[in-house]
Amino acid sequence: MKQDVRFKALLYLSAFLTGSLLNAVDVFPKTTLELTSESGEILGSITPGSKLIKLDEKSDKSLVMVSGWSAYGEESVVFQKIGQRVVYALLKPNAFKNIEKGKSQTDDYDAEWIPSQIKGWVKNSDLTSNQEDVWKEGAKLFGERCGSCHQAHPSDEFTVNQWPNIVKAMKDRAGLLPEQQWQLTKYMQAHAKDAK
């Protein structure tokens, strides 16, 4: 009897998960946005251009899943890939209980990386289905701010991991607000010489 109940529960769960993933679509934040629980508690923030999977929609919000990798000891940051520090999400300590983790892997330098994903709610108005829409804003900033004092470096001159420090070092001279710094950093990383 207990086995029948467990089996039926697994069937319902499987059908639910399969159904929700069949309707899932990729979306991208146009700006840095807050990830919240269903009750509205802030779980963290998601950076512009990060790939999200939209699972559901209610009113003016969407339930999304952020999937990526956390470096061991930096579980509050979800990165796009192992070894490449493209920030997808910055999580608050209260979100740690909601992170689903997989089996860790090591990179070429023996650093441990943990597959991580978290679900939460974001505003629909801050999402686009086309990542290129986000990169247009980064390209605009690059054109307006990065060549005004010197010859602008092409994005493929540096690596994914070099660009954040370069943009950070130039942010004050370029007059970048924090949001613009994220926009430019993510754009440069997406077009870096080792971007995959």
Side-chain angles (χ1 to χ4, degrees):
M1 180 98 163
K2 285 184 180 181
Q3 286 181 341
D4 287 340
V5 171
R6 284 185 197 148
F7 181 71
K8 285 181 182 177
L10 284 173
L11 280 178
Y12 286 123
L13 179 62
S14 175
F16 171 75
L17 291 174
T18 304
S20 64
L21 290 177
L22 285 176
N23 296 322
V25 294
D26 292 346
V27 292
F28 308 90
K30 295 185 273 186
T31 184
T32 302
L33 48 96
E34 288 183 344
L35 181 71
T36 63
S37 67
E38 192 160 13
S39 65
E41 178 183 24
I42 298 172
L43 301 173
S45 59
I46 303 173
T47 61
S50 299
K51 179 182 171 186
L52 308 175
I53 299 172
K54 182 176 176 179
L55 302 171
D56 196 7
E57 188 174 328
K58 289 184 184 174
S59 186
D60 63 339
K61 293 190 175 185
S62 289
L63 176 65
V64 297
M65 180 169 59
V66 184
S67 296
W69 295 85
S70 295
Y72 181 77
E74 282 187 85
E75 286 83 1
S76 64
V77 184
V78 178
F79 296 101
Q80 179 181 351
K81 295 180 181 175
I82 292 176
Q84 288 193 333
R85 295 185 177 265
V86 177
V87 176
Y88 267 11
L90 300 165
L91 303 175
K92 295 188 176 282
N94 63 317
F96 290 1
K97 64 185 178 289
N98 300 323
I99 300 172
E100 297 175 32
K101 297 178 181 177
K103 185 178 177 190
S104 66
Q105 296 181 26
T106 56
D107 63 16
D108 295 339
Y109 304 98
D110 289 328
E112 187 175 353
W113 291 80
I114 305 157
S116 304
Q117 68 182 28
I118 187 168
K119 296 174 189 162
W121 294 87
V122 297
K123 290 182 185 176
N124 287 335
S125 60
D126 293 331
L127 299 174
T128 180
S129 59
N130 186 355
Q131 194 176 40
E132 287 304 314
D133 293 342
V134 182
W135 299 151
K136 285 178 189 173
E137 185 61 32
K140 181 180 171 188
L141 283 168
F142 177 70
E144 291 174 354
R145 306 290 177 92
C146 297
S148 60
C149 299
H150 57 79
Q151 179 69 31
H153 295 275
S155 59
D156 62 358
E157 184 175 339
F158 298 105
T159 67
V160 165
N161 290 343
Q162 289 173 318
W163 272 118
N165 287 332
I166 293 167
V167 173
K168 183 178 179 181
M170 299 301 294
K171 71 180 173 62
D172 292 334
R173 287 186 218 151
L176 296 174
L177 298 171
E179 175 58 28
Q180 293 170 321
Q181 184 180 344
W182 273 119
Q183 288 276 357
L184 184 58
T185 299
K186 292 290 295 282
Y187 168 76
M188 300 307 278
Q189 288 183 303
H191 299 86
K193 69 179 174 183
D194 60 342
K196 300 170 189 164

